[in-house]
Amino acid sequence: MSKEVTVPTLGESVSEATIGEWLKKPGDAVKADEPIVSLETDKVAIEVPSPVAGVMGEHKVAVGDTVEVGALIAVIEDDVAPGESTNVEPRTEAAPAEATAAPTPAPSPAADTGAPAQAKSQGSDATQTLSPAVRRAVLEHGVDPSSIKGSGKDGRLTKEDVLAAATAKKETGDSPAPAASTAPPTAGGGERREERVKMTRMRQTIAKRLKSAQETAALLTTFNDVDMTAVMETREKFKDTFAKKHDIKLGFMSFFAKAACLALKDIPSVNAQIDGEEIVYFDYVDISVAVSAPNGLVVPVVRDAHAKSFAQIEKDIADFGKRAKDGTLTMDDMKGGTFTISNGGVFGGLMSTPIINPPQSAVLGLHRIEDRPVVRNGEIVIRPMMYIALSYDHRLIDGREAVTALKTIKEAIEDPMRMLIDL
């Protein structure tokens, strides 16, 4: 007897998805509610659980195929003994077969194909399936995926895990992975490899939306710089007490979120949207926070940021960051948003011109903090400075309004007391 696995409801207005990764292979033992496949939608990756315990049967579709809601994608064979159905470990039944088959792949063709990461994951650890982004990172940095502890869901490797392992290898001076070093040289004496990876549905959507924003909106960016001294002193003074009381660290994002709320209240058009021939003004602020995920940039929404405390904003952002890394963000987490904050400073960016997140009309870009000489009271002093940028849709927001909004954010950060007394 077998059980069919179909594509579940994906969310409002989402009717199809792409098969991103099969987490179980035919013949693998599966538990009830254990994830067996990852589906990529326009915004998030969704894991589909097994409806019953049993053995993974035939895959009806392949990685990269587009499937609609309700479509049959796999079959679970219900032939596991009752006593084993709730505690069987994945791949234990396939282990003997792999052991006897080991002599066949024993030579090292993996090194010849230039794909050590994939071969390693399929040989020494058959339960570890690498996503295209992770596999590409493994190849680029020459690390052994079987030696890295995954921090993703169910212990799976993420791109961040690979990058961290590569950094650690450089710091310790370890030699490159043998598989990578034994790849055959080209006629020129060096290694030249290429890999073609199909764009994920999420990356395709990001590309289309950003290009559409450039073609539709009249984009313009205004800049300013911010003296971070007051905020840094405030964080240093209250960080221990804040963490003890709220069980969360006091970061910079909550300051900029509250400063943005102050500016958007004074300049409503920066928090507005164009809908056809109408302008929609919001009396609330839902801030989309750009978060880096293994499959691309996602923008979950901190709702009612204007009414939330610093602590609650920090908790929301920390939760989004963790779930983005684990791949557990939902469609509802990304829905809506009236304004976006993107922090390129965490990657070392000094300055940028961020692109708005349609249908929003403005986005605030944050950058790295660095000590620079500035003039204060007629004297040159060193201060921790940050460039901030506001990109906006000039069809709706005039230059005066954009500059005023950015200046309000600057003043609130340089004097945090303004956020407390609403100035």
Side-chain angles (χ1 to χ4, degrees), residues 210 213-214 217-223 290 297 299 339-344 350-358 360-367 387-393 406:
L210 293 181
Q214 288 184 318
L219 290 180
L220 188 62
T221 303
T222 183
F223 299 91
L297 195 69
V299 279
F339 182 78
T340 294
I341 298 180
S342 178
N343 186 7
L350 177 64
M351 188 179 294
S352 67
T353 55
I355 301 177
I356 64 173
N357 180 25
Q360 298 174 20
S361 298
V363 53
L364 175 67
L366 310 182
H367 304 91
Y387 288 118
I388 57 176
L390 184 73
S391 291
Y392 59 98
D393 188 346
L406 195 62

Side-chain angles (χ1 to χ4, degrees), residues 197 229 309 364:
V197 179
T229 301
S309 65
L364 175 67

Side-chain angles (χ1 to χ4, degrees), residues 140-153:
E140 289 175 354
H141 297 281
V143 296
D144 181 0
S146 64
S147 66
I148 307 173
K149 184 178 181 181
S151 62
K153 191 168 184 180

Side-chain angles (χ1 to χ4, degrees), residues 91-103:
R91 300 296 290 174
T92 53
E93 298 165 12
E98 291 174 357
T100 59

Side-chain angles (χ1 to χ4, degrees), residues 168-386:
K169 186 177 71 170
K170 290 180 181 179
E171 293 176 350
T172 57
D174 290 346
S175 59
S181 63
T182 57
T186 63
E191 294 182 21
R192 291 167 59 86
R193 289 195 296 246
E194 294 182 2
E195 181 186 12
R196 288 182 180 270
V197 179
K198 184 178 179 180
M199 292 177 67
T200 64
R201 175 178 287 268
M202 184 185 297
R203 175 53 59 186
Q204 293 179 45
T205 301
I206 291 172
K208 291 176 182 177
R209 287 174 60 84
L210 293 181
K211 187 58 181 175
S212 175
Q214 288 184 318
E215 293 174 346
T216 304
L219 290 180
L220 188 62
T221 303
T222 183
F223 299 91
N224 214 320
D225 60 356
V226 177
D227 187 341
M228 297 294 291
T229 301
V231 166
M232 294 176 72
E233 289 178 348
T234 300
R235 288 184 66 211
E236 184 63 28
K237 181 177 181 180
F238 296 109
K239 65 178 183 180
D240 293 335
T241 305
F242 187 91
K244 184 177 180 180
K245 180 175 180 179
H246 300 292
D247 195 30
I248 189 72
K249 291 182 179 179
L250 178 59
F252 291 124
M253 285 297 290
S254 56
F255 284 94
F256 279 100
K258 297 301 286 186
C261 290
L262 195 65
L264 300 181
K265 179 181 178 182
D266 290 345
I267 315 293
S269 61
V270 182
N271 194 47
Q273 298 176 6
I274 294 177
D275 185 9
E277 296 182 353
E278 298 179 333
I279 300 175
V280 182
Y281 292 95
F282 303 97
D283 66 352
Y284 55 87
V285 179
D286 287 351
I287 296 182
S288 301
V289 181
V291 176
S292 180
N295 291 332
L297 195 69
V298 293
V299 279
V301 180
V302 178
R303 306 193 187 283
D304 296 319
H306 63 289
K308 288 185 174 178
S309 65
F310 280 70
Q312 189 57 56
I313 291 175
E314 292 290 353
K315 288 179 179 179
D316 287 354
I317 294 174
D319 177 60
F320 288 146
K322 181 179 183 301
R323 290 197 286 138
K325 186 176 182 180
D326 294 342
T328 57
L329 286 173
T330 67
M331 299 292 289
D332 287 340
D333 292 325
M334 251 82 67
K335 187 184 301 181
T338 62
F339 182 78
T340 294
I341 298 180
S342 178
N343 186 7
V346 296
F347 304 109
L350 177 64
M351 188 179 294
S352 67
T353 55
I355 301 177
I356 64 173
N357 180 25
Q360 298 174 20
S361 298
V363 53
L364 175 67
L366 310 182
H367 304 91
R368 77 169 183 253
I369 302 170
E370 63 176 9
D371 289 339
R372 290 201 295 268
V374 295
V375 178
R376 295 288 184 268
N377 300 320
E379 296 183 353
I380 298 177
V381 295
I382 302 298
R383 290 286 187 270
M385 303 297 293
M386 174 196 288

